[in-house]
């Protein structure tokens, strides 16, 4: 597809962006590591070098009680200016433009991080925070308004090209606007105009402080996805009020952090919320920015062509590939390392208090220490196993100039990624496999499929070093009846080697079992296009179409432990389990296995013995490391062990790719 509109320059306030892709704000937390802001500067500089039109930083706190702690970026004191200047100078050196996001978390601020009591419009506790906030007084509201204005001036002095006011995602400004979180009865709450006053006043004060030409973007919530919150009519009215107050552009955010609707996970269709930006664009005359699940520049081009917005925001896609803009401009779409919206190394890390990185690009956040330098001595290296660990190791080794042979006993690359990509809502893994196929081809890696590597053969071929990435062997627990003919492994189901009956019991309830359950309860013979056709022409009702999309299987997951879905990410686990429950999957924990019989699985649960009827029993109880090749090579040749072969666990692609990237840099 030819891209044109995405490369057209656009004016935002007093600056011109040289293309219409913006890197959206992400809290990455690199500034709290050793090297601090310098690491963050290197991270943003890499994205500027890749050619993105505008970068927006993670939120910089305008007040200490509204931030994420002293370790993170802040802009509430003059001494914050010089550290921030390190970022702007690094970005400008690469020819980029960068905006500072002015941030106040309100009731989402953690007292454990700030050491201060959180504040909000009203003293209503957020379900994602253990601390109840205190209601702001009228005097404190005035101080906070001034803090946004002062923060904007400091951003100007630090060399930022623009500021973005964070008024979305359920943070303080959004809390003032919503009737769910603002139950005040003074001039800052009550009817819509009074609830909107705080956000409009922030915008007006910032504009007054920075002057008429300095670009001010307002990130507003287009859709709260919270019951009984701001209506769409109110949202559009708020957009017009912000334009009148001096906003140069509106960036449309979707959902709150406490929302029970997934908005950026892999299960969310690409571009699912662009329609919200379009509604706002029809209501105002300033540029409007669309975001959420847009991970391909060709997709951005189509959105711009359809006049849904004026600028497209991509955040995580620039974590996954800092060069996505440059590659796309040159038409090298197949070379892009596409964001798969897994959240595992970005959002999950941040919510766990760790710095963000990326599952498919572990170099994200490690720009300073992980430079890719040519190998001082070019070696002939065998990589055994073409799962995620082996693929990344082979790619990095070849890019550094080593001669790489990649051996895989199956007839295709990908390892257990080939299981994940079959699961409904996980087709993005196809992009990762496309990326590796393209890169290994360009780098001249010798890929040998259907080859089970043997130690003697590797020695005879004269390899200098070997990387063993042979993955895991599925574990078979010791349960009487485990060898009955209707007991199968999860690998046999994913590889379509067995027919699965209508009544299924899965032994295991981790990430693999959850994926398997999704696969088994849905009928993939009915495509979304077919479903839409059946609905549009009234051939079937919505309920009938939904029934048709189900496989009709009864699926039960069993676990000896207390928790289902261990190994799933913190920010997506809740959505995965809710989806399984919606599809009728039964999950039993703290189960004692008695035996598997031809009729089903006999267990003890809650002190009661039961027989769970089953036509098929699937074992998905984890695995053990397949390190046999490593053991047979040890002491005979320099050999390295990575991925599942090193440490068995759930399908841990994040660790596998990280270890592949690391060993590729060490040899």
């Amino acid at each position: 597809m030819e891209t044109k509109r995405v490369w057209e320059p656009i004016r935002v306030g007093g600056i011109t962006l040289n293309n219409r892709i913006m890197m959206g704000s992400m809290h990455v937390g690199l500034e709290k590591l050793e090297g601090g802001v310098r690491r963050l500067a290197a991270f943003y500089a890499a994205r500027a070098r890749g050619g993105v039109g505008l970068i927006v930083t993670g939120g910089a706190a305008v007040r200490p009680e509204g931030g994420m702690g002293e370790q993170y970026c802040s802009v509430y004191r003059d001494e914050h200016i010089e550290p921030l200047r390190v970022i702007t100078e690094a970005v400008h050196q690469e020819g980029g433009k960068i905006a500072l996001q002015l941030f106040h978390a309100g009731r989402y601020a953690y007292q454990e991080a700030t050491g201060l009591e959180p504040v909000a419009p009203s003293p209503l506790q957020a379900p994602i925070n253990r601390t109840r906030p205190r209601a702001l007084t009228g005097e404190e509201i005035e101080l906070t308004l001034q803090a946004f204005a002062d923060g904007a001036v400091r951003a100007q002095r630090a060399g930022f090209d623009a500021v973005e006011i964070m008024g979305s995602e359920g943070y303080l400004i959004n809390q003032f606007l919503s009737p769910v979180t603002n139950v005040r009865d003074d001039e800052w709450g009550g009817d819509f105009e009074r609830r909107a006053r705080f956000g409009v006043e922030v915008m007006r004060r910032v504009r007054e402080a920075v002057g008429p030409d300095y670009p001010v973007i307002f990130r507003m919530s287009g859709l709260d996805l919270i019951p009984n919150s701001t209506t769409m009519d109110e949202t559009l009215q708020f957009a017009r009020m912000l334009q009148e107050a001096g906003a140069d552009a509106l960036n449309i955010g979707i959902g709150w952090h406490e929302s029970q609707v997934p908005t950026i996970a892999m299960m969310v269709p690409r571009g699912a919320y662009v329609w919200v930006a379009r509604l706002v664009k029809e209501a105002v005359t300033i540029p409007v920015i669309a975001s959420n699940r847009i991970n391909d520049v060709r997709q951005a081009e189509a959105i711009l062509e359809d006049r849904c917005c004026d600028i497209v925001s991509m955040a995580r896609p620039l974590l996954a590939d800092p060069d996505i803009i440059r590659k796309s401009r040159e038409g090298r779409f197949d070379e892009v390392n596409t964001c798969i919206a897994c959240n595992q190394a970005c959002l999950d890390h941040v919510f766990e208090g760790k710095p963000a990185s990326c599952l498919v690009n572990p170099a994200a956040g490690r720009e300073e220490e992980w430079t890719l330098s040519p190998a001082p001595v070019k070696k002939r290296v065998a990589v055994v196993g073409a799962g995620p660990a082996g693929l990344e190791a082979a790619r990095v080794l070849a890019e550094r100039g080593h001669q790489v042979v990649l051996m895989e006993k199956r007839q295709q690359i990908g390892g257990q990624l080939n299981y994940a990509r079959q699961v409904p809502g996980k087709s993005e893994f196809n992009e990762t496999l496309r990326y590796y196929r393209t890169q290994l081809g360009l780098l001249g890696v010798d890929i040998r499929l259907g080859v089970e590597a043997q130690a003697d053969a590797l020695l005879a071929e004269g390899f200098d070093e070997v990387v063993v990435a042979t993955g895991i062997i599925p574990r078979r627990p010791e349960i009487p009846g485990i060898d009955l003919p209707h007991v199968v492994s999860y690998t046999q189901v994913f590889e379509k080697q067995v027919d699965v009956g209508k009544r299924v019991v899965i032994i295991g309830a981790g990430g693999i079992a959850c994926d398997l359950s999704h696969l088994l309860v849905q009928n993939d013979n009915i495509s979304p296009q077919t479903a839409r056709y059946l609905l549009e022409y009234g051939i079937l009702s919505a309920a009938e179409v939904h029934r048709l999309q189900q496989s009709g299987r009864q699926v039960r997951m069993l676990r000896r432990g207390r928790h289902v879905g261990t190994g799933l990410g913190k920010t997506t686990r809740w959505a995965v389990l809710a989806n399984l429950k919606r599809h009728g999957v039964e999950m039993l924990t703290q189960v004692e296995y008695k035996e598997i019989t031809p009729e089903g699985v006999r267990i003890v649960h809650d002190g009661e013995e039961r027989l769970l009827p089953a036509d098929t029993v699937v074992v998905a109880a984890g695995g053990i490391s397949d390190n046999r090749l490593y053991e047979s090579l040890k002491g005979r040749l320099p050999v390295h062990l990575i991925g599942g072969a090193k440490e068995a666990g759930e399908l841990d692609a994040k660790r596998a790719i990280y270890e592949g990237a690391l060993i590729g840099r060490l040899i």
Side-chain angles (χ1 to χ4, degrees):
M1 172 187 174
E2 192 181 0
T3 50
K4 286 182 182 174
R5 190 158 169 75
V6 76
W7 311 123
E8 290 175 4
I10 185 168
R11 194 100 176 136
V12 177
I15 62 171
T16 300
L17 309 184
N18 62 11
N19 64 61
R20 292 177 181 238
I21 303 292
M22 179 178 102
M23 177 173 162
S25 173
M26 292 176 283
H27 291 291
V28 287
L30 300 176
E31 60 270 43
K32 67 180 185 173
L33 298 173
E34 191 183 343
V37 179
R38 202 183 65 244
R39 280 176 178 266
L40 198 57
F43 169 79
Y44 288 130
R47 276 75 198 163
R49 194 160 51 247
V52 69
L54 177 69
I55 294 166
V56 182
T57 68
V62 298
R63 294 276 297 164
E65 76 280 358
M68 297 175 72
E70 280 298 325
Q71 304 157 301
Y72 289 83
C73 277
S74 298
V75 70
Y76 55 80
R77 287 200 294 260
D78 284 350
E79 52 259 45
H80 295 141
I81 294 171
E82 285 312 307
L84 290 171
R85 202 188 303 279
V86 175
I87 296 171
T88 58
E89 286 176 355
V91 168
H92 292 154
Q93 221 165 10
E94 298 294 349
K97 290 185 171 68
I98 186 163
L100 184 75
Q101 188 184 75
L102 305 172
F103 175 82
H104 194 304
R107 71 181 195 154
Y108 282 173
Y110 293 120
Q111 189 165 357
E112 301 89 332
T114 64
L116 300 165
E117 189 178 15
V119 296
S122 303
L124 303 170
Q125 189 168 348
I128 60 171
N129 195 341
R130 65 184 70 155
T131 309
R132 188 169 182 250
R134 177 176 59 74
L136 286 159
T137 65
E139 190 179 338
E140 288 170 329
I141 288 173
E142 180 58 41
L143 283 172
T144 307
L145 291 170
Q146 191 58 43
F148 273 98
D150 292 345
V153 171
R154 291 188 187 105
Q156 258 185 321
R157 287 168 59 195
F160 285 93
D161 302 285
V163 290
E164 178 179 83
I165 298 166
M166 176 40 117
S168 181
E169 265 75 10
Y171 291 119
L172 182 70
I173 295 173
N174 210 172
Q175 291 162 24
F176 266 98
L177 186 64
S178 171
V180 174
T181 43
N182 184 348
V183 294
R184 301 175 75 102
D185 57 5
D186 61 3
E187 65 268 39
W188 301 103
D191 59 21
F192 167 72
E193 281 73 18
R194 285 182 290 167
R195 295 197 316 274
R197 185 182 168 201
F198 182 80
V200 172
E201 190 63 17
V202 168
M203 182 60 243
R204 194 184 66 75
R205 298 275 184 103
V206 168
R207 169 54 66 215
E208 203 172 79
V210 297
D213 297 326
Y214 189 72
V216 181
I217 301 165
F218 195 103
R219 182 166 172 86
M220 61 171 285
S221 180
L223 205 60
D224 291 347
L225 298 175
I226 296 288
N228 307 311
S229 197
T230 313
T231 67
M232 185 53 74
D233 282 346
E234 289 172 337
T235 296
L236 299 179
Q237 193 177 336
F238 187 54
R240 288 187 284 266
M241 291 162 84
L242 292 170
Q243 175 174 325
E244 201 175 318
D248 290 306
L250 298 176
N251 185 7
I252 311 307
I254 303 294
W256 289 15
H257 289 311
E258 65 196 77
S259 169
Q260 294 299 297
V261 180
T263 56
I264 57 172
M266 197 187 298
M267 64 185 71
V268 179
R270 290 187 184 187
Y273 293 102
V274 167
W275 60 273
V276 184
R278 184 176 208 147
L279 290 177
V280 177
K281 181 170 166 56
E282 289 166 358
V284 296
T285 57
I286 54 177
V288 170
I289 303 158
S291 66
N292 287 61
R293 284 294 279 123
I294 303 167
N295 64 352
D296 189 308
V297 171
R298 291 166 293 189
Q299 179 194 1
E301 175 73 18
I303 291 164
L304 291 163
E305 276 291 336
D306 288 344
R307 302 294 193 268
C308 296
C309 63
D310 305 282
I311 298 169
V312 171
S313 173
M314 290 181 169
R316 295 170 305 162
L318 279 134
L319 268 182
D321 195 331
D323 294 317
I324 181 175
I325 308 304
R326 183 167 51 80
K327 289 176 181 176
S328 299
R329 190 159 207 158
E330 293 167 4
R332 298 187 290 129
F333 299 106
D334 279 353
E335 294 180 46
V336 170
N337 194 3
T338 303
C339 167
I340 59 172
C342 66
N343 294 352
Q344 288 180 40
C346 50
L347 263 76
D348 287 353
H349 276 206
V350 170
F351 278 98
E352 290 163 9
K354 302 177 193 168
S357 185
C358 177
L359 179 144
V360 299
N361 176 28
R366 299 181 174 95
E367 285 75 15
E368 280 198 314
E369 64 265 45
W370 271 25
T371 51
L372 207 62
S373 52
V377 179
K378 306 291 190 284
K379 295 180 177 179
R380 192 155 188 270
V381 184
V383 177
V384 182
L391 289 169
E392 179 66 2
R395 185 193 72 79
V396 175
L397 286 164
E399 197 166 338
R400 291 185 56 231
H402 293 299
Q403 184 188 348
V404 181
V405 177
L406 177 62
M407 301 178 185
E408 169 56 52
K409 66 180 179 183
R410 293 188 176 90
Q411 292 297 332
Q412 59 180 346
I413 65 165
Q416 300 208 55
L417 291 182
N418 287 306
Y419 301 159
R421 69 191 181 96
Q422 297 177 45
V423 177
K426 286 198 168 185
S427 62
E428 292 285 11
F429 279 110
N430 286 316
E431 299 287 2
T432 305
L433 291 176
R434 179 265 309 147
Y435 167 74
Y436 279 119
R437 273 193 294 270
T438 303
Q439 292 296 330
L440 298 182
L442 289 169
L443 292 164
V445 172
D446 178 1
I447 302 173
R448 302 178 187 175
L449 300 176
V451 172
E452 187 152 9
Q454 303 294 334
D456 290 343
L458 291 170
L459 287 161
E461 203 171 327
F463 288 104
D464 297 305
E465 301 200 28
V466 177
V467 176
V468 175
T470 42
I472 64 166
I473 302 165
R475 193 173 69 83
R476 281 180 81 77
E478 291 184 16
I479 302 171
I482 195 84
D483 295 320
L484 286 169
H486 68 310
V487 181
V488 301
S489 166
Y490 71 90
T491 59
Q492 293 173 283
V493 179
F494 278 117
E495 291 171 18
K496 298 180 172 55
Q497 295 172 358
V498 291
D499 291 325
V500 180
K502 285 292 184 187
R503 298 172 304 171
V504 182
V505 170
I506 300 174
I507 293 174
I512 298 167
C514 289
D515 275 357
L516 192 64
S517 296
H518 272 127
L519 188 68
L520 292 174
V521 294
Q522 294 201 13
N523 178 7
D524 59 5
N525 293 328
I526 303 297
S527 69
Q529 292 85 352
T530 301
R532 194 160 56 243
Y533 161 75
L534 294 170
L535 283 169
E536 274 181 15
Y537 287 91
I539 299 164
L540 295 175
S541 68
E544 288 168 328
V545 169
H546 179 72
R547 206 157 40 243
L548 200 60
Q549 289 174 319
Q550 310 310 303
S551 66
R553 288 193 181 96
Q554 176 196 53
V555 176
R556 288 187 172 103
M557 290 195 295
L558 310 181
R559 181 152 237 178
R560 284 193 174 108
R562 295 179 61 182
H563 301 291
V564 173
T566 50
L568 295 173
K570 185 182 177 74
T571 59
T572 50
R573 179 176 175 270
W574 64 271
V576 169
L577 297 185
N579 201 15
L580 288 173
K581 283 174 185 166
R582 262 198 311 277
H583 285 97
V585 175
E586 190 180 352
M587 307 167 201
L588 300 177
T589 58
Q590 296 180 286
V591 161
E592 181 191 341
Y593 297 107
K594 300 302 284 184
E595 65 171 331
I596 301 170
T597 71
E599 292 73 41
V601 182
R602 193 171 294 283
I603 63 166
V604 176
H605 185 247
D606 287 341
E608 178 190 334
E609 190 166 312
R610 310 168 50 183
L611 176 72
L612 305 177
D615 305 309
T616 306
V617 177
V618 185
V619 180
I624 54 173
S625 294
D626 184 2
N627 57 10
R628 294 168 294 181
L629 179 63
Y630 174 79
E631 291 299 329
S632 62
L633 279 170
K634 210 162 55 172
R636 303 166 74 188
L637 195 66
V639 60
H640 311 271
L641 193 62
I642 61 172
K646 180 181 178 183
E647 183 188 334
E650 289 288 346
L651 297 183
D652 194 351
K654 180 178 74 172
R655 180 173 61 83
I657 293 174
Y658 169 82
E659 290 180 2
L662 188 59
I663 200 65
R665 285 166 168 81
L666 292 176
I667 291 175

